């Protein structure tokens, strides 16, 4: 119930309430006890007075005949009901007459009688017959009316004291509320700091100690904000200086080379084909010579604007300026999408062409990059096509390349995606948690789960990243092609749900190691998918290891509002969050200050360029920024020990890459018949 502790406000309320109740109970008990003692004394006085007066009254009648009169007089007094018993004995101890009043209903609860028992004492008086003592008279008062008086007194005292207690507690409540109300704002500010949101507290508490705390936290937050802003501006300025073309504001040739190498390195994981395109502003020299360099600069800017608009509709597409008159673009495309891009570029260039541009507004070429193909080889192929297009006046820019992947027709893709999604819709989507694992077994035929650990300097696993490969009849399919065709055919959400179900099914063999699951950009902002995802996790969390959700920086920045909502829901379920490709957008880093994330993976382009002094300085600045707000930094795609050594000297929190541990198939690490255990990735062969 109190897993997160008990608030100070509640503790004070409970303490004061307990003390008040104790004081109330003690005061009530003492008051009633004192009244009981007083009544006991009254009963004793009453009995003693009755004994003396009755003794004097019956003393003349101590002879044998007169005892009848004495007994009659005693009966008259006893019948008043105020006495428990009256007994007269002679000197020999013989009872001459005795009257006893039976215990009756006192109209008082029995528990009250048991707690506050009245004990009327037996009072005695010697009765004389002239100069001779004739006997002894014993009188005990009856407690009936005293019990009723005591009960009425207790009820009145209880009501009065309870009213006083209520008024006192009400006053204490308002006083404590006024004194402790600033604590609520301090707590919210502290929670905001934990969640990487640094906001100032505007309250000014009356209590001096609380005022000191507020001022101290505000100063700390101001210092963090100042440090964050200064380092962020420094990192952004350095990033622009190294990777941005100053004239167009586009990434430069250096950024293109690093991005090219990064995508090539991911080929083993995702099997994605990607395309490189060149666009040459063929009339730049003519414009410079005839109209001047200012017009030439405007010509370049118009081309940058036109081609940037074309790239905005493509997936993970980036336009680069690689020389004075040449642009390049890099994008993950399907074959069908590449043909569409080629046609769109040709059409837009044709529209811009006029007599002003004697060599045409621009020429373009586009080609698929195969696995292990060198950047220089690809550029040579594109340059050759550009020259050919220039002299042949050819608008077609798509250059064929020997593909290492089989191309599937639309009909084949329909069959493949039906195989991937129909089983999920028909069997898994409506299954309960007990049948979930059994229902997911057939997914092993079409999906493979791959794992790669993220480790620190001590080779301790921080978490393990998971990847899913798609396969049909032994053929490994491009992840990009699968998702692109699924979106085109309207089954993307079902495909993503089937993938998540497959991952959850496989992860039931892992207990303690945190496992990362990649969330696509579309899924991150799809409320139907995210609701389903968190509902499924809540049903399955007892059988799953700790989880971490990863998503791209580009996806997070599509809508920071829905990204924050996703993160809040994940945090409520103790799921960690990581942003990958941090810095790839070359935009402001300030957005991370308001996101409650645990890890950041810097973009692989910086990892491969870490030997350069300016890149090291940039990465070190990013590390300081993130460590300043409590975020851990991970370097992915570490392909050599030299790269790992650079990062080890920079206090990086985690490393990932084939230079440490290769991506391995889940079934080669954990057998299909394994129990719920995790064979640590430190047993994987070092490369």
């Amino acid at each position: 119930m109190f897993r997160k502790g008990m608030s100070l406000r509640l503790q004070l309320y409970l303490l004061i309430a307990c003390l008040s109740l104790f004081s109330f109970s003690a005061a009530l008990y003492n008051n009633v006890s004192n009244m009981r003692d007083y009544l006991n004394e009254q009963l004793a006085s009453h009995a003693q007075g009755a004994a003396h007066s009755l003794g004097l009254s019956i003393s003349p009648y101590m002879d044998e005949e007169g005892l009848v009169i004495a007994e009659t007089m005693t009966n008259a007094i006893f019948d008043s009901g105020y006495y428990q018993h009256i007994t007269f004995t002679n000197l020999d101890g013989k009872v001459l007459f005795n009257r006893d009043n039976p215990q009756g209903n006192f109209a008082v609860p029995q528990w009250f009688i048991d707690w506050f028992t009245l004990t009327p004492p037996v009072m005695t008086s010697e009765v004389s017959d002239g100069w001779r003592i004739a006997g002894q008279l014993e009188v005990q008062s009856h407690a009936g009316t005293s019990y009723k008086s005591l009960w009425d007194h207790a009820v009145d005292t209880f009501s009065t004291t309870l009213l006083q207690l209520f008024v006192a507690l009400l006053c204490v409540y308002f006083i404590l509320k006024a004194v402790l109300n600033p604590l609520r704002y301090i707590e919210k500010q502290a929670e905001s700091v934990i969640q990487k949101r640094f906001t100032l507290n505007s309250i000014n508490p009356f209590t001096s100690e609380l005022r000191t705390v507020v001022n101290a936290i505000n100063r700390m937050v101001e210092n963090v904000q100042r440090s964050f802003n200064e380092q962020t501006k420094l990192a952004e300025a350095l990033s622009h200086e190294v990777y941005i073309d100053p004239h167009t504001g586009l990434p430069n040739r250096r950024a293109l080379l690093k991005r090219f190498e990064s995508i090539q390195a991911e080929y083993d994981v995702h099997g994605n084909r990607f395309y490189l395109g060149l666009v040459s502003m063929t009339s730049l020299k003519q414009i410079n010579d005839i109209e001047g360099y200012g017009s030439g600069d405007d010509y370049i800017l118009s081309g940058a604007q036109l081609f940037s608009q074309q790239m905005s509709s493509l997936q993970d597409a980036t336009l680069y300026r690689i020389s004075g008159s040449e642009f390049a673009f890099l994008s993950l495309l399907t074959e069908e999408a590449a043909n569409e891009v080629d046609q769109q570029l040709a059409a837009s260039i044709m529209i811009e062409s006029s007599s002003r541009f004697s060599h045409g507004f621009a020429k373009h070429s586009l080609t698929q990059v195969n696995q292990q193909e060198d950047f220089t080889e690809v550029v040579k192929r594109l340059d050759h096509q550009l020259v050919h297009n220039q002299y042949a006046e050819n608008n077609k820019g798509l250059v064929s390349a020997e593909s290492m992947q089989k191309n599937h027709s639309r009909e084949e893709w329909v069959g493949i995606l039906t195989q991937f999604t129909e089983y999920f819709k028909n069997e898994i989507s409506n299954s309960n948690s007990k049948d979930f694992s059994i229902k997911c077994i057939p997914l092993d035929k079409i999906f493979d789960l791959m794992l790669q650990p993220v480790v620190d300097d001590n080779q301790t696993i921080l978490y393990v990243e998971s990847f899913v490969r798609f396969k049909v009849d032994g053929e490994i399919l491009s992840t990009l092609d699968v998702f692109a065709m699924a979106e085109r055919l309207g089954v993307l959400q079902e495909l993503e749900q089937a993938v998540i179900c497959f991952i959850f099914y496989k992860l039931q063999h892992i207990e303690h190691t945190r496992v990362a699951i990649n969330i696509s950009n579309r899924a991150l902002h799809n409320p139907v998918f995210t609701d389903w995802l968190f509902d499924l996790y809540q049903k399955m969390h007892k059988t799953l290891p700790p989880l971490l959700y990863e998503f791209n920086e580009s996806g997070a920045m599509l809508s920071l509002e829905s990204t924050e909502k996703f993160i809040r829901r994940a945090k409520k379920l103790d799921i960690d969050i990581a942003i990958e490709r941090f810095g790839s957008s070359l935009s402001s880093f300030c957005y991370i200050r308001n996101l409650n994330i645990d890890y950041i993976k810097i973009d692989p382009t910086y990892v491969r360029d870490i030997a350069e002094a300016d890149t090291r300085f940039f990465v070190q600045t990013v590390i300081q920024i993130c460590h300043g707000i409590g975020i851990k930094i991970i370097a992915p795609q570490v392909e050599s020990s030299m790269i790992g050594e650079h990062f080890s000297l920079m206090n990086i929190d985690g490393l990932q890459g084939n230079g440490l541990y290769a991506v391995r198939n889940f079934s080669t690490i954990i057998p299909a018949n394994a129990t719920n255990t995790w064979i640590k990735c430190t047993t994987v062969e070092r490369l």
Side-chain angles (χ1 to χ4, degrees):
M1 180 178 180
F2 297 107
R3 289 185 303 172
K4 296 183 179 180
M6 185 185 297
S7 67
L8 176 61
R9 183 189 300 270
L10 180 58
Q11 291 182 57
L12 289 175
Y13 284 151
L14 288 177
L15 176 62
I16 293 175
C18 290
L19 291 175
S20 300
L21 287 174
F22 175 78
S23 300
F24 165 76
S25 302
L28 180 63
Y29 182 83
N30 290 335
N31 193 297
V32 176
S33 296
N34 291 335
M35 185 64 179
R36 179 188 58 184
D37 295 339
Y38 170 76
L39 290 175
N40 279 329
E41 292 177 0
Q42 289 293 100
L43 289 172
S45 176
H46 176 261
Q48 188 65 61
H52 285 308
S53 61
L54 182 59
L56 292 173
S57 298
I58 65 174
S59 60
Y61 308 101
M62 290 294 99
D63 56 354
E64 186 174 347
E65 293 180 358
L67 283 176
V68 176
I69 298 174
E71 185 174 358
T72 302
M73 295 174 67
T74 300
N75 290 338
I77 295 176
F78 184 79
D79 289 341
S80 65
Y82 293 111
Y83 302 97
Q84 183 65 39
H85 77 267
I86 299 177
T87 304
F88 180 67
T89 59
N90 59 20
L91 294 178
D92 297 329
K94 181 181 178 181
V95 177
L96 299 180
F97 55 83
N98 178 54
R99 294 291 182 272
D100 282 310
N101 202 348
Q103 295 288 346
N105 184 7
F106 299 147
V108 176
Q110 185 60 43
W111 60 266
F112 184 78
I113 295 175
D114 294 336
W115 280 12
F116 300 98
T117 303
L118 292 174
T119 55
V122 178
M123 308 307 292
T124 62
S125 177
E126 292 181 346
V127 180
S128 60
D129 183 12
W131 297 102
R132 179 179 64 87
I133 295 177
Q136 181 173 284
L137 185 66
E138 294 181 355
V139 179
Q140 183 181 27
S141 297
H142 195 278
T145 55
S146 297
Y147 271 122
K148 186 66 171 63
S149 299
L150 183 62
W151 169 252
D152 292 340
H153 175 76
V155 171
D156 292 341
T157 304
F158 177 82
S159 301
T160 304
T161 310
L162 186 62
L163 179 61
Q164 293 174 347
L165 174 66
F166 177 76
V167 173
L169 288 178
L170 194 62
C171 294
V172 168
Y173 169 76
F174 286 112
I175 292 173
L176 281 180
K177 183 178 181 181
V179 172
L180 298 179
N181 195 50
L183 278 179
R184 182 164 58 90
Y185 296 97
I186 296 174
E187 181 184 12
K188 286 184 177 180
Q189 186 183 28
E191 289 177 350
S192 297
V193 171
I194 293 174
Q195 297 173 4
K196 320 297 186 302
R197 297 196 303 269
F198 299 91
T199 57
L200 296 178
N201 203 335
S202 59
I203 64 170
N204 191 24
F206 176 77
T207 307
S208 60
E209 291 83 358
L210 293 181
R211 183 180 300 180
T212 302
V213 172
V214 169
N215 292 335
I217 296 179
N218 280 341
R219 289 180 183 178
M220 180 196 71
V221 169
E222 287 176 345
N223 291 335
V224 171
Q225 285 181 333
R226 186 184 303 110
S227 176
F228 179 88
N229 292 335
E230 290 174 354
Q231 292 182 336
T232 298
K233 290 179 180 179
L234 176 62
E236 291 171 359
L238 182 61
S239 175
H240 279 71
E241 181 179 346
V242 176
Y243 294 104
I244 298 296
D245 173 59
H247 180 57
T248 61
L250 296 173
N252 58 20
R253 181 183 183 87
R254 184 174 177 182
L256 171 63
L257 287 171
K258 300 309 173 185
R259 178 62 175 153
F260 183 92
E261 294 172 356
S262 174
I263 297 179
Q264 280 280 45
E266 292 179 345
Y267 193 96
D268 290 337
V269 177
H270 301 293
N272 292 334
R273 72 183 81 195
F274 67 101
Y275 284 78
L276 178 65
L278 283 182
V279 181
S280 176
M281 307 296 289
T282 50
S283 297
L284 178 61
K285 185 177 184 303
Q286 172 204 358
I287 296 295
N288 285 337
D289 292 343
I290 298 175
E291 302 181 17
Y293 288 100
S295 296
D297 290 341
D298 293 339
Y299 171 51
I300 292 296
L301 288 175
S302 64
Q305 183 178 5
L306 173 66
F307 303 133
S308 295
Q309 292 175 351
Q310 297 289 328
M311 297 302 108
S312 62
S313 61
L314 301 181
Q315 179 180 358
D316 293 329
T318 306
L319 182 67
Y320 303 82
R321 188 188 184 195
I322 59 176
S323 67
S325 62
E326 289 186 330
F327 295 90
F329 62 90
L330 201 59
S331 180
L332 300 174
L333 297 171
T334 61
E335 183 180 16
E336 187 176 355
N339 282 304
E340 292 180 2
V341 170
D342 181 37
Q343 295 173 9
Q344 290 173 3
L345 280 173
S348 61
I349 290 173
M350 181 66 68
I351 293 173
E352 295 295 328
S353 296
S354 66
S355 58
R356 179 190 178 197
F357 310 110
S358 59
H359 298 292
F361 180 77
K363 293 293 182 181
H364 78 284
S365 59
L366 174 66
T367 188
Q368 178 186 333
V369 181
N370 289 322
Q371 186 179 16
Q372 304 300 329
E373 191 171 13
D374 185 74
F375 178 78
T376 304
E377 297 174 1
V378 182
V379 173
K380 285 181 180 179
R381 187 161 69 245
L382 292 172
D383 281 336
H384 181 270
Q385 183 66 25
L386 281 176
V387 174
H388 174 77
N389 290 348
Q390 179 71 25
Y391 287 96
E393 297 185 357
N394 181 16
N395 293 327
K396 180 178 176 58
L398 186 61
V399 184
S400 62
E402 291 186 5
S403 176
M404 301 187 68
Q405 294 174 313
K406 176 183 176 182
N407 294 321
H408 294 276
S409 66
R410 186 180 181 87
E411 290 74 17
E412 289 175 327
W413 275 116
V414 171
I416 291 171
L417 291 171
T418 299
Q419 183 180 356
F420 286 172
T421 60
E422 284 299 314
Y423 182 76
F424 164 77
K425 291 189 289 186
N426 296 333
E427 299 292 338
I428 301 177
S429 61
N430 297 320
S431 64
N432 55 44
S433 56
K434 294 181 180 179
D435 299 332
F436 180 80
S437 297
I438 297 175
K439 293 286 188 180
C440 288
I441 291 177
L443 295 179
D444 280 317
K445 297 179 181 179
I446 55 177
F447 300 147
D448 275 336
L449 183 64
M450 315 297 291
L451 299 178
Q452 188 177 40
V454 177
V455 299
D456 60 15
D457 279 344
N458 299 320
Q459 300 299 304
T460 301
I461 296 176
L462 298 178
Y463 65 88
V464 179
E465 185 173 4
S466 63
F467 312 91
V468 173
R469 281 183 178 174
F470 303 92
K471 57 186 180 181
V472 173
D473 299 328
E475 177 193 357
I476 303 298
L477 301 176
S478 163
T479 303
L480 171 69
D481 288 349
V482 172
F483 278 99
M485 292 307 299
E487 182 177 4
R488 185 169 294 245
L489 297 175
V491 293
L492 179 60
Q493 180 172 305
E494 289 82 359
L495 177 63
E496 291 176 328
Q497 289 174 323
V499 169
I500 292 295
C501 287
F502 174 70
I503 295 175
F504 279 11
Y505 150 65
K506 301 297 282 187
L507 293 187
Q508 293 180 91
H509 292 288
I510 299 176
E511 278 190 349
H512 304 297
T513 302
R514 191 174 293 275
V515 180
I517 299 175
N518 288 281
I519 306 296
S520 69
N521 293 354
R522 290 186 178 273
L524 179 65
H525 304 290
N526 182 350
V528 176
F529 176 84
T530 54
D531 289 343
W532 172 87
L533 174 65
F534 289 116
D535 288 343
L536 179 64
Y537 176 78
Q538 288 180 300
K539 294 177 183 177
M540 304 295 300
H541 75 279
K542 292 183 179 179
T543 63
L544 295 174
L547 292 186
L548 180 148
Y549 288 149
E550 281 191 4
F551 43 83
N552 285 342
E553 179 184 60
S554 58
M557 296 182 67
L558 288 175
S559 172
L560 290 177
E561 181 180 354
S562 57
T563 300
E564 289 181 21
K565 181 179 179 181
F566 182 92
I567 293 174
R568 284 196 301 270
R569 295 183 67 178
K571 288 297 181 179
K572 288 180 180 179
L573 299 174
D574 295 325
I575 298 174
D576 285 354
I577 297 294
I579 290 182
E580 55 183 354
R581 298 193 181 284
F582 181 75
S584 60
S585 62
L586 299 175
S587 59
S588 174
F589 300 154
C590 291
Y591 74 93
I592 64 170
R593 185 174 58 187
N594 296 319
L595 296 180
N596 186 15
I597 56 180
D598 302 281
Y599 297 94
I600 275 179
K601 281 186 177 179
I602 59 176
D603 190 75
T605 57
Y606 302 114
V607 176
R608 295 180 174 276
D609 203 26
I610 198 63
E612 301 294 332
D614 50 7
T615 302
R616 285 200 305 274
F617 182 74
F618 170 77
V619 172
Q620 186 67 63
T621 303
V622 172
I623 291 174
Q624 292 174 355
I625 292 173
C626 293
H627 283 177
I629 56 176
I631 299 175
K632 295 182 179 179
I633 300 293
I634 295 170
Q637 294 189 19
V638 178
E639 305 299 328
S640 68
S641 58
M642 183 177 297
I643 293 177
E645 289 174 1
H646 279 300
F647 281 107
S648 296
L649 297 174
M650 301 169 68
N651 297 319
I652 200 81
D653 297 292
L655 300 170
Q656 180 185 17
N658 292 331
L660 300 167
Y661 300 103
V663 178
R664 292 286 300 273
N665 192 297
F666 181 87
S667 60
T668 65
I669 301 175
I670 301 180
N673 59 352
T675 57
N676 287 352
T677 56
W678 165 245
I679 302 174
K680 285 192 175 181
C681 283
T682 49
T683 62
V684 179
E685 271 185 32
R686 293 290 298 271
L687 295 183

